[in-house]
Amino acid sequence: ILLYVNTVNYDFLKDDYRLIVENPRIKTFDGFIGSIGSKFFSFPDFPYLHYWRPMTLLTFHADYRLWGLKPAGYHFTNILINALNAVLIFFILFQVTSKLHYGFFGALFFSLHPCHVEAAAWISGRTDLLGALLIFCAIFNLLKFLQKTDRRILYYSLAMLFFILALLAKENSVLFPLFVVALVFTVPNHLQGTGKKLLFTLP
């Protein structure tokens, strides 16, 4: 939060005007629901951008309800999502290693890495922040499923739900199944034997 708090003073930039300021789809709930099947950039001058990101538009709608067209509020939401991502990295690494310092330094490295600046400081970069948040939630619940013996159906269901929501935020979330395979074969879990692990990861 301290690293990006100065971004609340920034204005809208580039795609922010099309996706937020000039976008009637986020300004009423009925408008959002009515256009939920529309492309993310459903504007005549963006004929080739076929992204579908309703989860990201939903967060813009929520921001509009909270802040109107004050860019500081949208930047604040980005800061919070980015901070939550760092917290989830901490818990994921701690869950895998059982070492607090691994989680702390992993989360610190994630927070300070310059490749996140655009996503955190630019409102329209929220697609990356939100996609990451939902994938991290899916990974966290998948780890719980792999390591716990009780409430496994709940953790599995939550992992699937967060994965689906991530797909609706940013299309590169489709890579999540590769994380599933990696985690099943590297993290100690209740799935015994290579055959059982392969069967589990097949779907």
Side-chain angles (χ1 to χ4, degrees):
I1 290 173
L2 290 174
L3 190 64
Y4 288 105
V5 71
N6 65 314
T7 65
V8 297
N9 299 314
Y10 296 175
D11 205 343
F12 294 114
L13 177 70
K14 290 186 173 181
D15 292 346
D16 299 343
Y17 286 99
R18 305 308 303 274
L19 294 172
I20 297 164
V21 179
E22 303 164 5
N23 192 354
R25 292 182 292 163
I26 69 160
K27 294 180 180 174
T28 66
F29 186 70
D30 288 343
F32 168 73
I33 293 297
S35 66
I36 202 164
S38 302
K39 293 179 289 188
F40 192 57
F41 290 97
S42 60
F43 312 110
D45 50 339
F46 289 101
Y48 304 112
L49 296 179
H50 300 301
Y51 308 129
W52 188 55
R53 300 169 178 170
M55 278 299 295
T56 305
L57 283 179
L58 181 61
T59 66
F60 289 155
H61 169 68
D63 273 345
Y64 183 80
R65 297 293 293 268
L66 286 170
W67 322 107
L69 288 177
K70 297 183 178 80
Y74 296 81
H75 284 295
F76 180 68
T77 302
N78 274 23
I79 293 167
L80 285 181
I81 295 172
N82 191 59
L84 280 172
N85 284 341
V87 170
L88 281 166
I89 288 286
F90 169 82
F91 281 114
I92 288 168
L93 291 175
F94 177 62
Q95 199 171 342
V96 170
T97 66
S98 300
K99 297 183 185 299
L100 280 171
H101 62 283
Y102 284 5
F104 174 80
F105 285 110
L108 183 65
F109 179 77
F110 176 87
S111 298
L112 297 176
H113 200 288
C115 78
H116 302 302
V117 171
E118 181 180 326
W122 180 33
I123 298 169
S124 294
R126 185 177 300 175
T127 54
D128 294 304
L129 296 177
L130 191 61
L133 175 72
L134 294 165
I135 285 297
F136 293 154
C137 287
I139 290 171
F140 180 78
N141 281 283
L142 180 69
L143 287 169
K144 287 280 191 185
F145 166 80
L146 291 172
Q147 296 174 339
K148 300 279 186 181
T149 55
D150 56 335
R151 293 189 293 178
R152 287 175 50 215
I153 293 175
L154 172 64
Y155 293 127
Y156 186 84
S157 301
L158 286 172
M160 290 295 294
L161 173 64
F162 283 120
F163 171 48
I164 291 167
L165 294 177
L167 289 172
L168 302 180
K170 186 72 185 275
E171 50 283 341
N172 62 2
S173 302
V174 75
L175 297 174
F176 174 68
L178 298 179
F179 288 105
V180 174
V181 175
L183 290 171
V184 166
F185 282 93
T186 58
V187 175
N189 57 69
H190 58 78
L191 298 170
Q192 301 300 319
T194 304
K196 194 168 185 179
K197 291 178 180 180
L198 284 172
L199 191 62
F200 171 78
T201 57
L202 188 61

